[in-house]
Amino acid sequence: MFKSAKIKLTATYLVIVMSITLSFSVFVYTGVNEATKKALGRQRIRIERQFYEREGPRIIFEPYNEETLNEIRIKTIYDLIGLNILILVISGSLGYVFASKTLAPIEKMIEKQKRFISDAAHELKTPLTSMKVDLEVNLRDKNLKLKYAKKILQRTIHEIDAMNDLTNYLLQKSKYQNISEKDNKKIQLKAIIEEAISKLKTKTEEKNIKITKYIGNELVYGNKNRLKEVFINIIDNAIKYSENNKNISIRTSVKNNEVKIKIVDHGKGISKEDIERIFDPFYRSDKARTNSKIEGYGLGLSIAKEIIEEHQGTIVVKSKLNRGSTFIVSLPKTN
């Protein structure tokens, strides 16, 4: 697809360049032809004057030497043909390079979109397959008891809820990709982080996890609900991968007119290989995939990164396996 697009774009560049070059060549040829005629005419006049000053028979000169003029015309045509061939080769090569660079971001975006759709389809297909198999197997059981049938329905409802969560995540991701600045305003970070922690209170109590806060009164400019979603996703991720009775710390600081928010957990940590892809949609580490207790679809951090980047900020992670992770969110400070 993109190979043919590159060729078409290169051909377009060539048509434009060669149209200009050929027009210029016609202009040069016409100019050289006229200039040569004038030069030969002036030369004729000079020679005539020399003969007129001498005594002797009168000689009639041609307006200009047609043979010389034809030689100059032919040489000019050959030179222009050679120049046009050289320009064609150079512009063709450069055109293909420029076409490749022009289409590279689009190609990357489409590949990313294809991978996203494929991953989303896979995540939806897995619970559907599980439900289908579960229901088909038990429908064949002629001695199926009501108590066990209820369990099957409960599992089915659980899978439906999981798919509903996934569709909500997908809608959420789509919404954050089309962020609008109309709802942006000055926000106190302390307030939205406190709200995010409050929303996750049940999860922290279930695992007896303590969250210690060292949060200043810094202000940032942005969308309150979307920034709150960032901290919900990051803190939820920290809770999810921490063992019971662990501690999570949140600290803010200001440096170079930026507010930095550090969220530190003492959980399982992330390998170097996983860190490189931790913000990719649907990406979960192998350990997370094999651990059935850890729920999620690998979209939370992807959404968080998109929101932060839309707010002209950055998000990075530092981690060591079995020692924990540190997420650092940087946002422009507002006075």
Side-chain angles (χ1 to χ4, degrees), residues 60 93 132 149 170 264:
I60 299 173
S93 303
K132 185 174 182 291
L170 293 174
V264 182

Side-chain angles (χ1 to χ4, degrees), residues 94-108:
L94 291 175
Y96 190 79
V97 172
F98 290 148
S100 299
K101 287 187 176 181
T102 302
L103 294 172
I106 301 170
E107 186 175 8
K108 187 177 179 181

